[in-house]
Amino acid sequence: MIPDPSASAEISATALHDAYMQRCFHLAELGAGYTAPNPMVGAVLVHEGRIIGEGYHQKSGEAHAEVNCLNSVRTGDRQFIPASTLYVSLEPCAHHGKTPPCVDLIIREKIPRVVIGCRDPFPEVDGKGIEKLLAHKVELIFPVLEKEAVACNRRFFVFHQQKRPYIILKWAATANHKIGGASAERLLISNDYSNRLVHQWRTEEAGILVGTQTALTDDPSLTVRLWPGKNPVRIVVDRNLRLPESLKIFDRSVPSVILNEKKDAQSENLIFKKINAHELFIPAILSALYSLNILSVLVEGGAKTLQSFIDSGLWDEARVITNNELEIPDGPEAPLLQKAVLLKTEDYYSDTIRYWKNDVGV
């Protein structure tokens, strides 16, 4: 809740800046799943303690948060823009991409003060937006809630600073730590509530990845069916191209990438991307996905693929669903996390979901 600056003289400027910046983060997250490979950004325009404009970056290639914020200002309030403070969760851009530079808009609208969450790590922006605003005598206050601002765009920061997608591992396990049954038949472990949440997670990431054996055994659609939102790019690791094209991954209904060691090729909604067989396996996968501009990936298994990411250390989050009421005598063991920090735990009837962070990650 944003405090009322007129209610108490004790409310500090820092508390107000923090409150408006938190609002920027909330707005930014409304773009989850739609802005990649761009960052999620929120903006708030404040005049004398009153919000007169709000906006967020809604979709890649479309207007940025600052543009939507200023466009939202009502006609009667536009006279206050040159006397207002603009809050924005990420440094305004200063380059021509698919849209014009936001700093030019800020300067043109004569906004006198800008409060920024953190700098933009994208090389075309990094510090340039700040420099241009300062050159035009705009008062800047930054960083504000920098740690939270980076966390809001952790996918974007990892992508540009580490030159790889942000990796989220996900699996479901029985109470006795089995990730599947002894037979080739698919075992449904998580309950309906958790399944719906997993589909929400899918809408929030740029890609979803499985290994060869999971594609063969489960023939998954890897699409969003239980939650409204955008389908991620489907990614399958098939080193020797042995998967039959009768599988759903080849139906061209959703953009799909086949990572392999044989060929590069592309047709409608289907890309065969050759990975470097001489590199270490997981780094080669991440390098290929980085070259395809895939900002983040939800890795859904199976056990061998998940453990490969864990062993490499090249993962950022893990979301582990445990069905506390299901035990089976035989089956593959669930992956074993290493160097993981537990962030939070949620319960959905029979299921417990644990959220982990790589303690060497962002």
Side-chain angles (χ1 to χ4, degrees), residues 216-271:
L216 275 173
T217 304
D218 297 345
D219 189 16
S221 297
L222 302 180
T223 55
V224 177
R225 301 177 300 282
L226 303 178
W227 194 267
K230 183 181 178 182
N231 285 309
V233 174
R234 302 184 295 193
I235 305 160
V236 172
V237 181
D238 183 15
R239 300 173 75 161
N240 298 307
L241 294 179
R242 64 187 182 93
L243 292 175
E245 294 204 9
S246 58
L247 295 178
K248 295 184 181 73
I249 191 71
F250 294 103
D251 65 14
R252 290 177 168 78
S253 63
V254 175
S256 303
V257 175
I258 312 300
L259 298 175
N260 69 93
E261 296 178 357
K262 301 293 185 181
K263 69 176 183 178
D264 284 313
Q266 185 170 350
S267 59
E268 182 186 1
N269 266 357
L270 186 61
I271 297 174

Side-chain angles (χ1 to χ4, degrees), residues 115-240:
V115 182
I116 299 171
C118 65
R119 285 174 63 142
D120 188 326
F122 182 49
E124 293 293 326
V125 179
D126 193 7
K128 297 179 178 66
I130 290 169
E131 290 173 5
K132 191 168 185 177
L133 291 172
L134 288 173
H136 284 78
K137 311 301 182 185
V138 176
E139 179 188 350
L140 292 186
I141 301 172
F142 76 94
V144 172
L145 299 182
E146 183 177 24
K147 182 178 178 181
E148 293 88 342
V150 172
C152 179
N153 271 308
R154 57 195 182 277
R155 297 161 179 83
F156 190 71
F157 274 79
V158 165
F159 187 80
H160 287 290
Q161 293 179 338
Q162 300 186 35
K163 309 301 182 187
R164 65 167 177 84
Y166 188 88
I167 298 299
I168 300 172
L169 310 178
K170 170 265 168 181
W171 69 86
T174 64
N176 59 335
H177 309 295
K178 304 296 183 182
I179 199 172
S183 69
E185 185 176 347
R186 186 178 183 184
L187 175 66
L188 297 178
I189 296 175
S190 52
N191 64 34
D192 290 344
Y193 300 95
S194 297
N195 286 339
R196 188 173 293 274
L197 183 59
V198 168
H199 280 241
Q200 180 186 349
W201 294 344
R202 290 180 178 184
T203 69
E204 296 169 349
E205 309 309 329
I208 180 171
L209 183 147
V210 297
T212 309
Q213 195 56 51
T214 297
L216 275 173
T217 304
D218 297 345
D219 189 16
S221 297
L222 302 180
T223 55
V224 177
R225 301 177 300 282
L226 303 178
W227 194 267
K230 183 181 178 182
N231 285 309
V233 174
R234 302 184 295 193
I235 305 160
V236 172
V237 181
D238 183 15
R239 300 173 75 161
N240 298 307

Side-chain angles (χ1 to χ4, degrees), residues 272-289:
F272 289 87
K273 179 65 176 177
K274 187 176 180 180
I275 61 176
N276 189 342
H278 299 292
E279 291 183 28
L280 294 174
F281 185 49
I282 298 301
I285 288 175
L286 297 183
S287 178
L289 296 177

Side-chain angles (χ1 to χ4, degrees), residues 17 20-30 39-44 55-57 64-66 69 86-93 114-121 130 141-153 156-157:
H17 291 331
Y20 289 125
M21 191 57 65
Q22 289 283 6
R23 177 60 181 165
C24 288
F25 299 153
H26 175 75
L27 290 166
E29 289 167 359
L30 296 176
M40 298 184 297
V41 184
V44 174
Y56 66 97
H57 184 37
H64 287 188
E66 298 92 329
C69 176
L86 177 67
Y87 291 81
V88 60
S89 57
L90 190 68
E91 175 184 4
C93 64
V114 178
V115 182
I116 299 171
C118 65
R119 285 174 63 142
D120 188 326
I130 290 169
I141 301 172
F142 76 94
V144 172
L145 299 182
E146 183 177 24
K147 182 178 178 181
E148 293 88 342
V150 172
C152 179
N153 271 308
F156 190 71
F157 274 79

